[in-house]
Amino acid sequence: NTKLEMSVYHLAQPGALTPSAATYVVWLQPENGAPQNKGELKIGKDRNGGLTIVTPLKRFAIYVTPEQSAQATEPTGEHVLSSNISE
């Protein structure tokens, strides 16, 4: 398994975006696969946040999008953070 510990600093509250969003969602997308909602990235009043994820994937893209619901089934917002992971 792969353990990811994500920390963000100075990220705007989702409600301050244009268009406004309710939350940020973290997505993992395996090579040749559909994106998977891995949880809500909660941002505190200090504009910092974090999330820990464990996945069996070894090669995937990870990204964060602003969404209207933490239970979003597919990304609808633009990527505000992104990276590719390969072990």
Side-chain angles (χ1 to χ4, degrees):
N1 288 335
T2 302
K3 181 179 179 180
L4 298 167
E5 294 180 6
M6 175 185 288
S7 297
V8 296
Y9 304 96
H10 309 292
L11 188 63
Q13 292 291 336
L17 300 174
T18 303
S20 179
T23 190
Y24 289 107
V25 174
V26 177
W27 303 90
L28 297 187
Q29 185 167 5
E31 293 180 325
N32 304 317
Q36 304 167 5
N37 180 332
K38 291 300 180 179
E40 180 179 17
L41 178 61
K42 295 184 180 182
I43 305 300
K45 291 181 181 182
D46 61 358
R47 297 177 37 205
N48 299 334
L51 182 67
T52 299
I53 301 167
V54 176
T55 179
L57 300 173
K58 299 294 182 198
R59 298 176 59 88
F60 54 92
I62 182 170
Y63 52 92
V64 177
T65 60
E67 301 292 345
Q68 294 305 318
S69 170
Q71 288 78 36
T73 57
E74 59 185 34
T76 60
E78 292 189 34
H79 299 183
V80 294
L81 301 168
S82 64
S83 186
N84 291 309
I85 307 296
S86 61
E87 286 192 342

